[in-house]
Amino acid sequence: MSLTRNFKETIQARIEHDPIFRDELLKEGIECLLADNVDIGKAILRDYINATIGFQELGELTAKSPKSLMRMLGPNGNPQARNLFEVIGCLQKREGLQLKVQAVR
C-alpha cells in the first residue's frame, strides 16, 4: 500500500515538532516487531527513518548500503536479526532513548 504525499508530510511535520510522538512512533514500530506484526513494524520503522535520520545517514552509521537498508525494511524484506537490532540500536542512540522490554500478562 502506498501512502499519499499528504500523509507522509503530516507524519514528518509531526515528528519534527512533537518529540513525544517521535519517541512513541519508534517504540510502536519495535513493539509491533516483538508482537510478530513484522510487516507493520517494518513499515513504521521505515516511516520513522524517512522522517528523521534518513536512510543515507543510517547507512553511514551502520556501514550498510542505504538501498540495502531500504530493502530490508521494505514489504518483501526479510532482515537478519543482527541487522535489525543494529538499526534499532542506532535509532535509539540517535534519539537518546533506551527502550526496555516489559513482560505483561
Side-chain angles (χ1 to χ4, degrees):
M1 168 175 65
S2 65
L3 300 176
T4 65
R5 187 108 173 112
N6 289 337
F7 179 78
K8 289 181 181 180
E9 290 171 356
T10 300
I11 294 295
Q12 189 157 8
R14 181 141 184 219
I15 282 175
E16 288 175 5
H17 294 74
D18 188 347
I20 293 171
F21 177 75
R22 184 174 56 242
D23 293 352
E24 288 298 316
L25 191 61
L26 177 58
K27 180 180 159 193
E28 181 67 20
I30 294 168
E31 285 179 349
C32 285
L33 293 172
L34 292 172
D36 197 27
N37 293 321
V38 177
D39 291 337
I40 294 170
K42 289 188 310 178
I44 291 171
L45 288 179
R46 195 171 53 248
D47 289 343
Y48 175 86
I49 292 165
N50 278 321
T52 58
I53 189 172
F55 281 97
Q56 186 67 38
E57 185 177 339
L58 183 60
E60 293 169 11
L61 292 173
T62 60
K64 294 186 181 1
S65 158
K67 287 185 179 184
S68 176
L69 292 168
M70 284 186 254
R71 280 191 302 271
M72 180 176 88
L73 295 173
N76 296 318
N78 188 15
Q80 292 181 354
R82 178 182 315 270
N83 294 332
L84 188 57
F85 290 134
E86 182 180 10
V87 166
I88 290 169
C90 283
L91 297 176
Q92 287 182 99
K93 186 175 181 179
R94 185 175 184 279
E95 200 60 50
L97 289 176
Q98 183 177 3
L99 299 173
K100 296 184 178 192
V101 175
Q102 180 180 357
V104 293
R105 292 196 190 269

